[in-house]
Amino acid sequence: MFAILLSAFFFAAGDSDPSNLMVMIPFALLFVFLFIFLVVRATAQTIISEDEISTKTLLGTKSLRWSEVSRVSGRGYAIKLHNFDGDVTVAPATQLPGYDEVVNWIGMKRPDLFSPLEYAEMKKNWAGTIIFSMVGLFLLAGLGFCAYTSG
């Protein structure tokens, strides 16, 4: 996706019509934000000790003591730990090697958070899939518009 976006940007930048370049500016900004997001996720670390769990990224460190964890949530393969106030969440990065061991360690430290009687039903939210599809269609429509106006 990044290769298509980048090639369309350079294609529009090489055109003599400045309106094509103006159309590509939002796509270039989206590309920059996605790149920053991926860099932040790629530098993630998870540190587990007997007392707490911490996650580190370029943006900072978040820590939760095991006794402060009130609930667990997640989406797909990802897991989040929440404190009692709900103002601190720790989310180990799923792309880390040993992520399965991190989830197992959380289950060993706080088995009460994974009670099959309390959490017997699991559901998937389709909102994320729909939003992702709409953004993809928007990008494709923008690239098609750029190709149409430059041709």
Side-chain angles (χ1 to χ4, degrees):
M1 185 70 165
F2 288 137
I4 292 171
L5 184 61
L6 194 59
S7 62
F9 182 72
F10 284 121
F11 177 73
D15 195 5
S16 60
D17 186 10
S19 65
N20 288 338
L21 186 58
M22 294 301 287
V23 170
M24 290 305 297
I25 288 175
F27 295 110
L29 291 174
L30 179 64
F31 176 78
V32 169
F33 287 126
L34 288 174
F35 180 76
I36 290 170
F37 174 76
L38 291 175
V39 167
V40 168
R41 293 296 287 178
T43 60
Q45 295 179 343
T46 299
I47 302 161
I48 297 176
S49 70
E50 289 295 324
D51 299 327
E52 67 182 6
I53 181 169
S54 301
T55 56
K56 289 184 181 181
T57 64
L58 288 176
L59 302 176
T61 302
K62 291 184 179 182
S63 298
L64 270 178
R65 299 187 64 76
W66 291 115
S67 60
E68 296 173 346
V69 178
S70 67
R71 67 182 179 92
V72 175
S73 68
R75 175 180 289 176
Y77 194 55
I79 191 169
K80 281 186 182 180
L81 304 172
H82 304 266
N83 69 345
F84 289 101
D85 297 332
D87 59 343
V88 178
T89 60
V90 173
T94 57
Q95 75 271 12
L96 290 174
Y99 178 75
D100 293 334
E101 288 83 13
V102 170
V103 174
N104 287 336
W105 187 265
I106 293 168
M108 287 188 302
K109 294 302 280 182
R110 291 294 306 271
D112 57 309
L113 298 173
F114 299 97
S115 169
L117 297 176
E118 188 176 345
Y119 306 107
E121 184 178 344
M122 295 184 190
K123 296 179 182 178
K124 181 174 179 172
N125 186 350
W126 285 91
T129 305
I130 292 171
I131 290 171
F132 180 75
S133 300
M134 291 178 68
V135 168
L137 288 173
F138 173 74
L139 289 174
L140 288 175
L143 292 175
F145 177 75
C146 289
Y148 175 75
T149 58
S150 64

